[in-house]
Amino acid sequence: GQQVMQIPQYQHVQEGEDFTTYCNSSTTLSNIQWYKQRPGGHPVFLIQLVKSGEVKKQKRLTFQFGEAKKNSSLHITATQTTDVGTSFCAGSNDYKLSFGAGTTVTVRA
Amino acid sequence: DTEVTQTPKHLVMGMTNKKSLKCEQHMGHRAMYWYKQKAKKPPELMFVYSYEKLSINESVPSRFSPECPNSSLLNLHLHALQPEDSALYLCASSQAGQGHYGYTFGSGTRLTVV
Protein backbone atom coordinates (compact mmCIF):
# COMPACT_ATOMS: atom_id res chain seq x y z
CA GLY A 1 0.00 0.00 0.00
CA GLN A 2 0.91 3.63 -0.26
CA GLN A 3 3.38 4.89 2.32
CA VAL A 4 4.56 8.39 3.00
CA MET A 5 7.82 8.65 4.92
CA GLN A 6 8.65 11.88 6.75
CA ILE A 7 11.96 12.95 8.32
CA PRO A 8 13.21 14.01 10.71
CA GLN A 9 10.81 12.80 13.39
CA TYR A 10 12.07 15.41 15.85
CA GLN A 11 13.74 18.76 15.28
CA HIS A 12 15.13 20.89 18.09
CA VAL A 13 15.81 24.35 16.70
CA GLN A 14 17.41 27.51 18.02
CA GLU A 15 15.08 30.49 17.68
CA GLY A 16 15.92 32.37 14.51
CA GLU A 17 17.37 29.36 12.69
CA ASP A 18 15.96 27.71 9.59
CA PHE A 19 14.98 24.06 9.21
CA THR A 20 13.46 21.71 6.67
CA THR A 21 11.25 18.65 6.94
CA TYR A 22 11.05 16.13 4.11
CA CYS A 23 8.47 13.70 2.80
CA ASN A 24 8.95 10.82 0.41
CA SER A 25 6.37 8.55 -1.14
CA SER A 26 6.87 5.07 -2.55
CA THR A 27 4.41 5.92 -5.35
CA THR A 28 3.57 8.94 -7.50
CA LEU A 29 1.13 11.23 -5.76
CA SER A 30 -1.76 13.21 -7.24
CA ASN A 31 -1.19 15.90 -4.64
CA ILE A 32 0.48 16.48 -1.31
CA GLN A 33 -0.95 18.39 1.61
CA TRP A 34 0.66 19.85 4.72
CA TYR A 35 -0.93 20.16 8.14
CA LYS A 36 0.19 21.72 11.44
CA GLN A 37 -0.84 20.40 14.84
CA ARG A 38 -0.01 22.51 17.86
CA PRO A 39 0.50 20.78 21.23
CA GLY A 40 -2.90 19.72 22.56
CA GLY A 41 -4.58 20.77 19.33
CA HIS A 42 -5.85 19.21 16.13
CA PRO A 43 -4.34 19.13 12.62
CA VAL A 44 -4.92 22.32 10.65
CA PHE A 45 -4.67 22.33 6.86
CA LEU A 46 -1.90 24.60 5.59
CA ILE A 47 -1.56 24.02 1.86
CA GLN A 48 -1.97 21.64 -1.06
CA LEU A 49 0.54 21.15 -3.87
CA VAL A 50 -0.67 19.58 -7.11
CA LYS A 51 1.74 20.33 -9.94
CA SER A 52 5.13 18.76 -10.57
CA GLY A 53 7.87 21.09 -9.27
CA GLU A 54 5.39 23.43 -7.62
CA VAL A 55 6.65 25.89 -5.01
CA LYS A 56 4.35 27.86 -2.72
CA LYS A 57 5.13 30.29 0.07
CA GLN A 58 3.22 31.31 3.17
CA LYS A 59 5.14 34.01 5.05
CA ARG A 60 8.16 32.15 6.53
CA LEU A 61 7.06 28.76 5.13
CA THR A 62 8.14 27.46 1.71
CA PHE A 63 6.57 24.29 0.35
CA GLN A 64 7.93 22.30 -2.60
CA PHE A 65 6.60 19.37 -4.60
CA GLY A 66 9.19 17.29 -6.42
CA GLU A 67 9.39 16.95 -10.19
CA ALA A 68 8.43 13.28 -9.99
CA LYS A 69 5.58 14.06 -7.57
CA LYS A 70 7.01 11.59 -5.07
CA ASN A 71 8.60 13.96 -2.58
CA SER A 72 7.94 17.25 -0.87
CA SER A 73 9.57 19.57 1.61
CA LEU A 74 8.59 22.28 4.05
CA HIS A 75 11.27 24.87 4.80
CA ILE A 76 10.76 27.28 7.69
CA THR A 77 12.97 30.36 7.98
CA ALA A 78 13.72 32.32 11.15
CA THR A 79 12.05 29.87 13.52
CA GLN A 80 9.88 31.43 16.21
CA THR A 81 8.57 29.97 19.46
CA THR A 82 5.13 29.91 17.84
CA ASP A 83 6.43 27.27 15.40
CA VAL A 84 6.38 24.57 18.09
CA GLY A 85 4.22 21.58 17.25
CA THR A 86 4.08 18.84 14.66
CA SER A 87 3.97 19.30 10.90
CA PHE A 88 2.47 16.46 8.90
CA CYS A 89 2.65 15.87 5.18
CA ALA A 90 -0.15 13.82 3.64
CA GLY A 91 -0.03 12.33 0.17
CA SER A 92 -3.01 11.48 -2.00
CA ASN A 93 -3.13 8.67 -4.56
CA ASP A 94 -6.66 9.61 -5.79
CA TYR A 95 -8.11 7.04 -3.40
CA LYS A 96 -7.20 8.28 0.03
CA LEU A 97 -4.85 10.53 1.96
CA SER A 98 -1.89 8.95 3.77
CA PHE A 99 -0.20 10.88 6.54
CA GLY A 100 3.51 10.92 7.20
CA ALA A 101 4.75 10.30 10.74
CA GLY A 102 5.21 14.04 11.35
CA THR A 103 8.10 16.26 12.38
CA THR A 104 7.78 17.55 15.94
CA VAL A 105 9.58 20.83 16.50
CA THR A 106 10.76 22.29 19.76
CA VAL A 107 12.35 25.74 19.89
CA ARG A 108 14.96 27.02 22.31
CA ALA A 109 14.97 30.74 22.87
CA ASP B 1 -19.34 28.46 9.08
CA THR B 2 -15.89 26.95 8.44
CA GLU B 3 -15.76 24.60 11.39
CA VAL B 4 -16.13 20.96 12.21
CA THR B 5 -17.74 20.60 15.64
CA GLN B 6 -17.17 17.50 17.73
CA THR B 7 -18.86 16.48 20.95
CA PRO B 8 -18.05 15.59 23.60
CA LYS B 9 -14.54 17.02 23.97
CA HIS B 10 -13.64 14.49 26.64
CA LEU B 11 -15.13 11.08 27.40
CA VAL B 12 -14.31 8.46 30.01
CA MET B 13 -16.08 5.16 29.56
CA GLY B 14 -15.97 1.70 31.00
CA MET B 15 -15.36 -1.36 28.90
CA THR B 16 -19.03 -2.38 29.12
CA ASN B 17 -20.44 1.04 28.24
CA LYS B 18 -22.04 2.20 25.01
CA LYS B 19 -21.37 5.77 23.96
CA SER B 20 -21.45 7.85 20.79
CA LEU B 21 -19.19 10.54 19.40
CA LYS B 22 -20.79 13.23 17.29
CA CYS B 23 -19.48 15.40 14.49
CA GLU B 24 -21.18 18.20 12.56
CA GLN B 25 -20.16 20.45 9.67
CA HIS B 26 -22.09 23.06 7.72
CA MET B 27 -19.59 23.78 4.96
CA GLY B 28 -21.41 21.70 2.37
CA HIS B 29 -18.58 19.17 2.37
CA ARG B 30 -19.57 15.83 0.87
CA ALA B 31 -16.86 13.67 2.42
CA MET B 32 -16.48 13.04 6.14
CA TYR B 33 -13.90 11.03 8.03
CA TRP B 34 -13.13 9.44 11.36
CA TYR B 35 -9.50 9.30 12.45
CA LYS B 36 -7.87 7.87 15.56
CA GLN B 37 -4.72 9.52 16.87
CA LYS B 38 -2.45 8.16 19.57
CA ALA B 39 0.07 10.38 21.33
CA LYS B 40 3.06 11.35 19.17
CA LYS B 41 1.59 9.51 16.15
CA PRO B 42 -0.08 10.71 12.93
CA PRO B 43 -3.85 10.48 12.50
CA GLU B 44 -4.88 6.95 11.50
CA LEU B 45 -7.82 6.65 9.12
CA MET B 46 -10.79 4.62 10.36
CA PHE B 47 -13.76 5.39 8.09
CA VAL B 48 -14.62 7.53 5.09
CA TYR B 49 -18.12 8.59 4.09
CA SER B 50 -18.59 10.03 0.64
CA TYR B 51 -22.00 11.45 -0.25
CA GLU B 52 -23.37 9.85 2.92
CA LYS B 53 -22.24 6.37 1.93
CA LEU B 54 -19.47 4.44 3.63
CA SER B 55 -16.68 4.24 1.07
CA ILE B 56 -13.69 3.16 3.16
CA ASN B 57 -13.50 1.02 6.28
CA GLU B 58 -9.88 0.50 7.26
CA SER B 59 -10.50 -2.90 8.86
CA VAL B 60 -11.70 -1.28 12.06
CA PRO B 61 -12.98 -3.65 14.80
CA SER B 62 -16.77 -3.95 14.96
CA ARG B 63 -16.83 -2.35 18.41
CA PHE B 64 -16.59 0.91 16.42
CA SER B 65 -19.69 1.56 14.33
CA PRO B 66 -19.97 4.67 12.14
CA GLU B 67 -23.20 6.31 11.05
CA CYS B 68 -23.90 9.18 8.70
CA PRO B 69 -27.51 10.35 9.27
CA ASN B 70 -27.20 13.16 6.71
CA SER B 71 -24.62 15.17 4.81
CA SER B 72 -23.83 17.36 7.83
CA LEU B 73 -23.63 14.78 10.59
CA LEU B 74 -21.33 11.90 11.39
CA ASN B 75 -21.51 9.66 14.44
CA LEU B 76 -19.21 7.02 15.83
CA HIS B 77 -20.91 4.49 18.10
CA LEU B 78 -18.68 2.81 20.65
CA HIS B 79 -19.37 -0.47 22.42
CA ALA B 80 -17.27 -2.81 24.52
CA LEU B 81 -14.07 -0.87 23.96
CA GLN B 82 -10.69 -1.88 25.29
CA PRO B 83 -8.19 0.29 27.20
CA GLU B 84 -5.95 0.35 24.13
CA ASP B 85 -8.75 2.20 22.29
CA SER B 86 -8.01 5.25 24.43
CA ALA B 87 -6.96 7.99 22.01
CA LEU B 88 -7.94 11.28 20.40
CA TYR B 89 -10.75 10.67 17.90
CA LEU B 90 -10.82 13.23 15.15
CA CYS B 91 -13.57 13.96 12.69
CA ALA B 92 -12.73 15.71 9.44
CA SER B 93 -14.52 16.82 6.31
CA SER B 94 -13.55 17.85 2.80
CA GLN B 95 -15.33 19.09 -0.34
CA ALA B 96 -15.10 15.62 -1.82
CA GLY B 97 -13.26 12.45 -1.08
CA GLN B 98 -10.24 10.63 -2.50
CA GLY B 99 -7.75 13.12 -1.08
CA HIS B 100 -8.39 15.77 -3.71
CA TYR B 101 -9.10 18.57 -1.23
CA GLY B 102 -7.74 19.72 2.09
CA TYR B 103 -9.37 18.38 5.22
CA THR B 104 -10.94 20.47 7.96
CA PHE B 105 -10.49 18.69 11.28
CA GLY B 106 -12.58 19.07 14.39
CA SER B 107 -10.92 19.59 17.74
CA GLY B 108 -11.45 15.94 18.60
CA THR B 109 -12.84 13.82 21.42
CA ARG B 110 -10.25 12.66 23.91
CA LEU B 111 -11.43 9.19 24.88
CA THR B 112 -10.25 7.24 27.91
CA VAL B 113 -11.41 3.64 28.35
CA VAL B 114 -11.15 2.34 31.89
Side-chain angles (χ1 to χ4, degrees):
Chain A
Q2 176 186 321
Q3 282 195 332
V4 176
M5 311 300 291
Q6 187 174 355
I7 57 169
Q9 188 174 358
Y10 298 99
Q11 186 86 45
H12 191 53
V13 186
Q14 176 73 43
E15 191 174 15
E17 288 185 341
D18 302 351
F19 75 91
T20 304
T21 175
Y22 301 89
C23 276
N24 285 289
S25 170
S26 54
T27 59
T28 302
L29 301 170
S30 62
N31 72 75
I32 195 152
Q33 300 174 18
W34 286 88
Y35 293 79
K36 176 69 180 290
Q37 186 170 18
R38 298 193 184 282
H42 57 277
V44 174
F45 174 73
L46 295 178
I47 208 160
Q48 177 177 270
L49 304 171
V50 179
K51 298 176 184 176
S52 169
E54 189 169 13
V55 178
K56 288 188 176 181
K57 292 191 176 185
Q58 288 182 352
K59 296 183 181 179
R60 296 180 293 106
L61 278 57
T62 301
F63 303 85
Q64 291 189 316
F65 201 9
E67 294 291 339
K69 299 183 72 172
K70 285 187 173 183
N71 58 74
S72 181
S73 64
L74 161 58
H75 181 76
I76 298 181
T77 58
T79 303
Q80 300 176 358
T81 54
T82 51
D83 291 323
V84 297
T86 303
S87 296
F88 292 102
C89 63
S92 172
N93 62 355
D94 283 335
Y95 176 61
K96 66 178 183 180
L97 205 60
S98 295
F99 280 81
T103 295
T104 298
V105 174
T106 53
V107 180
R108 58 181 182 272
Chain B
D1 189 349
T2 58
E3 284 188 340
V4 173
T5 303
Q6 286 189 246
T7 56
K9 293 200 182 304
H10 300 274
L11 178 62
V12 179
M13 62 185 289
M15 290 187 282
T16 58
N17 290 162
K18 286 185 180 181
K19 296 287 185 183
S20 295
L21 309 185
K22 297 187 183 300
C23 175
E24 189 169 5
Q25 58 90 12
H26 294 288
M27 294 176 283
H29 288 176
R30 302 317 301 263
M32 296 186 76
Y33 312 84
W34 280 115
Y35 279 86
K36 173 183 178 180
Q37 187 177 30
K38 290 278 205 178
K40 301 186 187 301
K41 296 291 186 182
E44 179 184 338
L45 182 64
M46 300 175 72
F47 303 104
V48 179
Y49 273 84
S50 181
Y51 292 86
E52 301 164 49
K53 293 191 187 308
L54 183 65
S55 61
I56 296 178
N57 176 341
E58 292 286 280
S59 303
V60 178
S62 59
R63 58 186 184 268
F64 295 91
S65 175
E67 178 195 18
C68 188
N70 60 54
S71 60
S72 299
L73 295 174
L74 188 65
N75 299 322
L76 185 63
H77 303 298
L78 315 173
H79 174 56
L81 295 192
Q82 303 296 309
E84 59 264 29
D85 296 320
S86 298
L88 180 67
Y89 287 84
L90 293 161
C91 174
S93 70
S94 64
Q95 286 186 37
Q98 300 175 312
H100 290 165
Y101 299 92
Y103 292 7
T104 301
F105 281 87
S107 57
T109 294
R110 197 161 295 279
L111 174 68
T112 303
V113 181
V114 297

